[in-house]
Amino acid sequence: MFTNAIPILTMLAKPANLPTILAIESSCDETSAAVIKNGKVLNNIIATQAIHTQYGGVVPELASRVHQQNIIPVVHQALHTAQVSKEELQAIAFTRGPGLLGSLLVGTSFAKAFAAALQIPLIDVNHMQAHILAHFINPPFPIFPFLCLTVSGGHTQLVVVKDYLQMEIIGETQDDAVGEAFDKAAKILGLPYPGGPLIDKYAQTGNPLAYQFGEVAMEGLNYSFSGIKTSFLYFVQRQSQQNPNFVSENLADICASMQHTLVQLLMKKLKRAAKEYKINHIAIAGGVAANSGLRKALHETAAKLNWQLYIPDFQYCTDNAGMIAIAAHYKYLAGEFCSQQVSPLPRMEF
Ligand code: KG4
Ligand code: ZN
């Protein structure tokens, strides 16, 4: 509930059209801002932090510092390119969690200060719900209820989406996220961070059935990816002892086989969930939704099982403020605001 000193009715009694909102995303290593007006996301400015590549993963302290440098220019560019003045804004939205605490703090503090200065309400957004709502930025829009497989560097979730703000997690990873498994496999192969897109690239010319890695069976609709990562590590070490050039000589086959294994694991539970919940409107979200192997498997299964498939534009798969803007739009319409006392939630749940 919105509880700061600004009279709510005055703020909500703006013109009858849909709200103009500035949205900020800073949960991990992308600083992003977007403006939504009349239900349309006008832009999606993203400053990517290249600094983490040299460390083989996101360094939280560095991420937070770079967010501090980027946030004002990114917000400025979002307002400027949308040709929206700050006086026109009716709310400021931000990612409250889940994410890295130091990173979330930058977006949260900025949003709170900006909203207080403009005397407009604040909207806190759950990053994982926003990944799913990215489907409502551009048509075709999914039909409720639909099933969403959210696959990112931090999460792997199966979600039944009943309405814009009504979602239920029916399965999730019990250890690593699938994006993490892609990135760790890439690191084992000596590829730079984030390795997921590189595994995808090298897999294009490889044989997906060249190698097999041990899998860990998981009950129900939950996932587990840490076992496969360990067995991949032992496999590469074993092969490299016999042939020091094993990785460089077989990179495409290794990447294709690992990608195939991870995609099959994702698809197995997705198919099971669709059957159990009798839902054939299927969506994917999150950074790993960019993976070409996963997209191919989804299209093949959709054709076989008569699924209606929804895959968001690439720019709305990875972390971005456009998805925060569309989530904030629906929260605004539902009257869901937060107080100026709000703090980030690194482990925020639905
Ligand atoms: O959603 P996202 O941008 O950030 C998080 O919230 O984590 O997802 C990033 C993850 C990384 O693990 C990255 O390697 C993975 O998405 N990723 C991919 C591909 N593109 C991004 N993984 C496999 N294939 C890709 N094409
Ligand atoms: Zn994300």
Side-chain angles (χ1 to χ4, degrees), residues 27-30 127-128 131 151-155 178-180 182-183 193-200 259 286-292 314 317-319:
S27 65
C28 190
D29 60 343
E30 322 273 8
H127 181 87
M128 301 312 294
H131 266 303
V151 278
S152 74
H155 292 85
V178 66
E180 217 174 330
F182 268 104
D183 295 339
Y193 177 86
L198 291 169
I199 298 249
D200 192 358
Q259 177 165 300
V288 183
N291 183 266
S292 60
F314 181 76
C317 284
T318 50
D319 290 349

Side-chain angles (χ1 to χ4, degrees), residues 3-19:
T3 56
N4 76 10
I6 306 152
I8 293 175
L9 285 178
T10 325
M11 291 178 310
L12 299 182
K14 291 251 173 159
N17 58 8
L18 298 165

Side-chain angles (χ1 to χ4, degrees), residues 143 145-147 273-275 277-283 302 305-310:
I143 292 164
F146 65 93
L147 190 61
K275 197 172 167 193
Y277 283 79
K278 299 186 175 57
I279 297 178
N280 72 342
H281 287 257
I282 311 289
L305 300 181
N306 200 21
W307 284 356
Q308 177 65 48
L309 206 58
Y310 303 93

Side-chain angles (χ1 to χ4, degrees), residues 54-112:
Q54 59 189 291
Y55 298 101
V58 177
V59 183
E61 179 56 30
L62 289 177
S64 144
R65 272 190 239 167
V66 182
H67 279 307
Q68 289 176 47
Q69 289 161 2
N70 287 347
I71 191 128
I72 290 176
V74 163
V75 166
H76 184 263
Q77 201 180 336
L79 291 174
H80 181 73
T81 56
Q83 296 188 305
V84 165
S85 70
K86 48 189 194 302
E87 290 74 24
E88 286 175 70
L89 295 173
Q90 288 164 266
I92 307 289
F94 65 97
T95 304
R96 187 178 182 190
L100 301 170
L101 179 59
S103 292
L104 290 167
L105 265 170
V106 178
T108 307
S109 312
F110 183 89
K112 283 164 72 170

Side-chain angles (χ1 to χ4, degrees), residues 117-265:
L118 294 172
Q119 301 210 331
I120 54 175
L122 266 177
I123 301 174
D124 60 327
V125 172
N126 179 303
H127 181 87
M128 301 312 294
Q129 287 191 332
H131 266 303
I132 295 171
L133 292 172
H135 284 281
F136 295 94
I137 295 176
N138 288 323
F141 303 134
I143 292 164
F144 299 115
F146 65 93
L147 190 61
C148 188
L149 173 66
T150 312
V151 278
S152 74
H155 292 85
T156 306
Q157 293 178 333
L158 275 167
V159 181
V160 174
V161 188
K162 297 167 189 169
D163 207 338
Y164 297 109
L165 304 174
Q166 215 194 330
M167 306 181 186
E168 183 193 348
I169 299 171
I170 55 166
E172 62 188 329
T173 183
Q174 302 299 297
D175 40 57
D176 292 352
V178 66
E180 217 174 330
F182 268 104
D183 295 339
K184 285 181 178 167
K187 198 171 178 179
I188 291 166
L189 297 174
L191 301 172
Y193 177 86
L198 291 169
I199 298 249
D200 192 358
K201 181 179 148 201
Y202 291 115
Q204 305 290 328
T205 54
N207 173 8
L209 303 176
Y211 307 109
Q212 276 167 4
F213 318 105
E215 294 169 18
V216 177
M218 217 356 113
E219 288 294 308
L221 295 173
N222 287 329
Y223 288 105
S224 167
F225 292 102
S226 72
I228 171 85
K229 176 196 67 191
T230 310
S231 92
F232 181 78
L233 172 68
Y234 291 156
F235 166 82
V236 172
Q237 283 177 343
R238 234 180 8 252
Q239 297 289 334
S240 301
Q241 270 164 10
Q242 287 162 21
N243 170 14
N245 298 325
F246 172 73
V247 169
S248 57
E249 286 170 8
N250 300 284
L251 191 58
D253 283 351
I254 301 170
C255 289
S257 300
M258 184 57 169
Q259 177 165 300
H260 177 74
T261 309
L262 294 173
V263 167
Q264 288 311 305
L265 282 171

